Amino acid sequence: MWYGGGAVAGAGVGAGAGGWSRVGTRKQSVAESDAPPPGGGKPASGRVIRIINNMDHSIQCRVLLNLRTTQPFEEVLEDLGQVLKMSGAKRMYTISGQEVRSFSQLRNEFADVETFYLGSSLVAPAISPGVSAPLPIAESPMRRSRSRANVSSTPAAVEDMRERRARSKSRPRILYAPEGEIVRNSDYTLLEVLKEEPVRVTIRGLRRTFYPPIHHAPQDNSPPDKKMQLEWVYGYRGWDSRRNLWVLPTGELLYYVAAVAVMYDRDEHAQRHYTGHTEDIQWPARALATSSVQYSNAIGREIERYVKVESRREKESESVDVVSQFMELHPSRELVASGQRAGRGRRAQAHVRIWSTDTLQTLHVFGMAEFEAGVSAVAFSHLNGGSYVLAVDAGRESILSVWQWQWGHLLGKVATLQEELTGAAFHPLDDNLLITHGKGHLAFWNRRKDGFFERTDIIKPPARTHVTALQFEQDGDVVTADSDGFITIYSVDSDGAYFVRMEFEAHIKGISSLVMLSEGTLLSGGEKDRKIAAWDSLQNYKRITDTKVLFGHHKQLMGLAVHPDDEMFATAGHDKNVALWRGHKMVFATQVGYECVSLAWHPGGGALAVGSTEGHLVILNADAGTHVATLRVCGSPLTCLHYNSAGDILAIGSQNGSIYLFRVSRDGFSYKKSNKIRGAQPLVQLDWSLDGNYLQTVTADYDLAFWDIKALSPEKSPIAMKDVKWSTYNATVGFLVSGMWNNRFYPMTSLISSASRSAAHDLLISGDTDGYLRLFRYPCASSKAEYNEIKVYSGNVWCARFLFNDRCLVTTGGNDAALMLWELVDD
């Protein structure tokens, strides 16, 4: 469908929107609305044309005409003459010499002509060498005869035509607009010189056009004088991995989140970070166990599918297989081996890195081009000082390889052919004996001197036991944990064969990890009961104690909101939790009963609004985290929501494409549904205008749409909205952020999934579907705009926001609900 004025509407506030529309069809992008309407011609609301002084061809400019003005055409020509510094302008011609006599001709007969000449007489224009003429327009016989009649008209005919035109001045405006269109009282500027060219960007195969505002801050293409420094990583990845927590000699806890290895000092409440990886320090065994990367290109459109996947995961929770040991501590406890998944490009190939926990320097990198999909397990040998490292490829054949890591030499490899291999380890008493485990799988691999491996299965296939974790007693006996919550101890008989010495139920459902302490205490972590239990291996595994695991987001974390005037922020995730954070600590966490996808903070600071995947709006007290109200908005996910500056209206964008408006009172604690503006495309981002009269939204297909709150209708003219000031700018598309898309310094192989303008309007943060964070200057409208870049996420960056004072920014993303706080420091 075609929106009138999609490419050529007027400027200023309160612009009239014109054109035809068809309910239920797909909304067009700004670029698509540049196309002429069915049957040819240009939209009726306005024209962007180039005018040239016929007496001096060096004087020319581009102007915006309002074709629905009630001003006579002759006065319009005089105004245009003033723009070209000429007096007495009375005639307008095309390059071919045809005279333009009315707005109707501009709309219809000369709809495809972009360049016109102004003159003071009936002399046709002379084309200068510096002016490029448009392609010839094939004229119909009717148009040719009309043009000849215009030239050869008698004075009486000309006078009669002027009389008819004079009488037409009093005709209502509806004659210049399609039938049934709402005519607005406020008119916009008749004509306006366009100081900058529109920006055209191709996104997902469609060309979008964004129009420049008349006044905006000058473009500075140099990189910003600030850079991002990782200050804090919240949470810990425990929901889909095993053996991922170690204690360093310094007393720090070592673990990983996304592509970052974290060293946490509990006494000082401080963190250090190793950021040498370019992709996640992990690899999921099943596509079902992750999922966010699969739909990151169209966030809003795919939420419904993700909800179905999540519900299926809940039903299959007993059979969801996960992998382990993406990181391992050297026997000296001063070095770490960590493997990463494969990403895009040479820099993101799967490999293993050896690095120092003291200096955080990378010592060795090996396995480039050797691993197919990622590294699903790594481990150091024990007896030879940790000179060997084993690695398991996450590819189809699950290839087990042994490396001498100091030299990067491959000592041998074998295909285990285990589709769901959970982990691997060296036997503590033999560096040539390796053990692998997984679903229905527990096997020993003896590496011979010739590099070949001999396999011995401890669990005979087929078996339903899923071995999830592995440890050893001091005498070499094997201790395993499984998905049914049982711990099993295997001993060796006189013939060298393993047998089950002991088995007992330790947890409800699955066990996520085992840790054997030096004094003989075994620690086990439960998946479902979220408990850590201690067992005395020297007293037949008598239970010592257990404790409850602390809270942490463990599913997709899409909702993020910052406090309006304090260094606090809140998060809401698919795990049905809403949490409030101040500095490096969590203030509270509240279960809301619904999977959350969006979050907004009331301007007064006292209330939080949460949008769910089932169309519920949940209001929380931001001071205590207590529940205030739950309202049913619609049956689709509420993908974006935002309060206006006054805090008396909440706008909610839904996956069904509509905008829902709620009246807000009592400092954000009382809500009443007021209106709905119907739309068609899923909405993913939303901003209010500074005056509260308009909204701008971004759809799942990256179309920029505008909404008139007073008229309760979509605003179909992007040019009419080009000078509107926005209270926030979280949209990923638009003229002032277009430099993120057509940037010449990086290939656009991914899509920008999140963006936000700083409170001081001088910085712009962007995150893409490949996990890159880029900091630009704002405005960013040039393909030459430079930036500061960092990559710590492997998947989609769901959200990035500056705190109220621009000192820090907070980001969420990746497959593991990775929440990170960044300090902006001088570059």
Side-chain angles (χ1 to χ4, degrees), residues 138-148:
E139 297 184 21
S140 64
M142 182 180 298
R143 289 185 176 178
R144 287 198 299 268
S145 63
R146 183 186 305 165
S147 300
R148 287 194 296 268

mmCIF file of all heavy atoms in Angstrom, residues 138-148:
data_model
loop_
_atom_site.group_PDB
_atom_site.id
_atom_site.type_symbol
_atom_site.label_atom_id
_atom_site.label_comp_id
_atom_site.label_asym_id
_atom_site.label_seq_id
_atom_site.Cartn_x
_atom_site.Cartn_y
_atom_site.Cartn_z
ATOM 1 N N ALA A 138 8.231 9.775 -21.673
ATOM 2 C CA ALA A 138 7.329 9.453 -22.780
ATOM 3 C C ALA A 138 5.976 10.071 -22.503
ATOM 4 O O ALA A 138 5.332 9.768 -21.505
ATOM 5 C CB ALA A 138 7.199 7.941 -22.933
ATOM 6 N N GLU A 139 5.555 10.962 -23.407
ATOM 7 C CA GLU A 139 4.306 11.663 -23.193
ATOM 8 C C GLU A 139 3.196 11.021 -24.009
ATOM 9 O O GLU A 139 3.398 10.563 -25.121
ATOM 10 C CB GLU A 139 4.443 13.128 -23.607
ATOM 11 C CG GLU A 139 5.470 13.893 -22.787
ATOM 12 C CD GLU A 139 5.481 15.349 -23.186
ATOM 13 O OE1 GLU A 139 4.467 15.794 -23.768
ATOM 14 O OE2 GLU A 139 6.479 16.022 -22.937
ATOM 15 N N SER A 140 2.026 11.014 -23.450
ATOM 16 C CA SER A 140 0.862 10.531 -24.183
ATOM 17 C C SER A 140 0.395 11.595 -25.157
ATOM 18 O O SER A 140 0.718 12.770 -25.018
ATOM 19 C CB SER A 140 -0.261 10.213 -23.190
ATOM 20 O OG SER A 140 -0.665 11.397 -22.555
ATOM 21 N N PRO A 141 -0.368 11.233 -26.211
ATOM 22 C CA PRO A 141 -0.887 12.243 -27.144
ATOM 23 C C PRO A 141 -1.688 13.309 -26.420
ATOM 24 O O PRO A 141 -1.639 14.474 -26.783
ATOM 25 C CB PRO A 141 -1.754 11.419 -28.101
ATOM 26 C CG PRO A 141 -1.192 10.038 -28.019
ATOM 27 C CD PRO A 141 -0.712 9.877 -26.629
ATOM 28 N N MET A 142 -2.418 12.910 -25.382
ATOM 29 C CA MET A 142 -3.209 13.891 -24.653
ATOM 30 C C MET A 142 -2.303 14.925 -24.001
ATOM 31 O O MET A 142 -2.571 16.127 -24.043
ATOM 32 C CB MET A 142 -4.065 13.195 -23.598
ATOM 33 C CG MET A 142 -4.970 14.154 -22.813
ATOM 34 S SD MET A 142 -5.945 13.270 -21.606
ATOM 35 C CE MET A 142 -6.913 12.203 -22.666
ATOM 36 N N ARG A 143 -1.185 14.460 -23.397
ATOM 37 C CA ARG A 143 -0.281 15.400 -22.755
ATOM 38 C C ARG A 143 0.377 16.304 -23.779
ATOM 39 O O ARG A 143 0.557 17.485 -23.566
ATOM 40 C CB ARG A 143 0.778 14.643 -21.951
ATOM 41 C CG ARG A 143 0.218 13.993 -20.701
ATOM 42 C CD ARG A 143 1.314 13.363 -19.898
ATOM 43 N NE ARG A 143 0.811 12.810 -18.656
ATOM 44 C CZ ARG A 143 1.573 12.176 -17.789
ATOM 45 N NH1 ARG A 143 2.837 12.000 -18.027
ATOM 46 N NH2 ARG A 143 1.050 11.702 -16.672
ATOM 47 N N ARG A 144 0.777 15.746 -24.936
ATOM 48 C CA ARG A 144 1.414 16.577 -25.950
ATOM 49 C C ARG A 144 0.462 17.634 -26.461
ATOM 50 O O ARG A 144 0.820 18.797 -26.604
ATOM 51 C CB ARG A 144 1.911 15.693 -27.095
ATOM 52 C CG ARG A 144 3.137 14.858 -26.748
ATOM 53 C CD ARG A 144 3.813 14.371 -28.002
ATOM 54 N NE ARG A 144 2.921 13.531 -28.791
ATOM 55 C CZ ARG A 144 2.850 12.221 -28.687
ATOM 56 N NH1 ARG A 144 3.608 11.596 -27.821
ATOM 57 N NH2 ARG A 144 2.030 11.521 -29.448
ATOM 58 N N SER A 145 -0.788 17.271 -26.734
ATOM 59 C CA SER A 145 -1.736 18.245 -27.240
ATOM 60 C C SER A 145 -2.031 19.302 -26.179
ATOM 61 O O SER A 145 -2.167 20.472 -26.494
ATOM 62 C CB SER A 145 -3.034 17.552 -27.664
ATOM 63 O OG SER A 145 -3.648 16.938 -26.537
ATOM 64 N N ARG A 146 -2.070 18.874 -24.917
ATOM 65 C CA ARG A 146 -2.316 19.835 -23.851
ATOM 66 C C ARG A 146 -1.168 20.828 -23.755
ATOM 67 O O ARG A 146 -1.368 22.023 -23.558
ATOM 68 C CB ARG A 146 -2.503 19.121 -22.520
ATOM 69 C CG ARG A 146 -2.826 20.062 -21.375
ATOM 70 C CD ARG A 146 -2.855 19.311 -20.067
ATOM 71 N NE ARG A 146 -3.779 18.185 -20.129
ATOM 72 C CZ ARG A 146 -3.795 17.201 -19.233
ATOM 73 N NH1 ARG A 146 -2.928 17.211 -18.253
ATOM 74 N NH2 ARG A 146 -4.656 16.220 -19.341
ATOM 75 N N SER A 147 0.043 20.328 -23.915
ATOM 76 C CA SER A 147 1.185 21.229 -23.842
ATOM 77 C C SER A 147 1.169 22.218 -24.993
ATOM 78 O O SER A 147 1.436 23.406 -24.826
ATOM 79 C CB SER A 147 2.491 20.424 -23.869
ATOM 80 O OG SER A 147 2.530 19.541 -22.780
ATOM 81 N N ARG A 148 0.851 21.748 -26.225
ATOM 82 C CA ARG A 148 0.805 22.665 -27.363
ATOM 83 C C ARG A 148 -0.309 23.683 -27.189
ATOM 84 O O ARG A 148 -0.177 24.844 -27.513
ATOM 85 C CB ARG A 148 0.601 21.868 -28.658
ATOM 86 C CG ARG A 148 1.840 21.093 -29.101
ATOM 87 C CD ARG A 148 1.682 20.625 -30.528
ATOM 88 N NE ARG A 148 0.590 19.685 -30.668
ATOM 89 C CZ ARG A 148 0.705 18.368 -30.577
ATOM 90 N NH1 ARG A 148 1.896 17.849 -30.342
ATOM 91 N NH2 ARG A 148 -0.330 17.577 -30.731
#
